[in-house]
Amino acid sequence: MLLSILLDAASFAPGLAAIAASIAVIGAALGIGKIGQSAMEAMARQPEAASKIQSGMIIAGALVEGATLFAIVVCLLAVLG
């Protein structure tokens, strides 16, 4: 009984991995959008600190992209592995 449930659940793995990957990408897009919004607001308030703010924004964006890439790789491994 349990084995048949697990085998049925394994057939849903590609679809669930695709949904998980899309959620990761949507989350990254929202996160990078928020980073950009906050950076622009900060640069508008203090134009003299724009270079430091921009550097921090790029680093934070890269970290978000790295986490997203990791999530997508995990989803691919769930399907292929």
Side-chain angles (χ1 to χ4, degrees), residues 16-28 72 75:
L16 293 176
I19 291 171
S22 65
I23 290 172
V25 170
I26 290 170
I72 292 173
C75 292

Side-chain angles (χ1 to χ4, degrees), residues 21-70:
S22 65
I23 290 172
V25 170
I26 290 170
L30 292 174
I32 290 174
K34 182 64 177 166
I35 291 168
Q37 175 189 3
S38 299
M40 288 301 199
E41 288 176 0
M43 284 186 239
R45 290 182 185 152
Q46 292 185 334
E48 66 275 1
S51 63
K52 289 183 181 180
I53 294 168
Q54 188 175 12
S55 299
M57 177 184 69
I58 291 171
I59 291 170
L63 290 173
V64 171
E65 286 293 326
T68 304
L69 182 62
F70 179 72

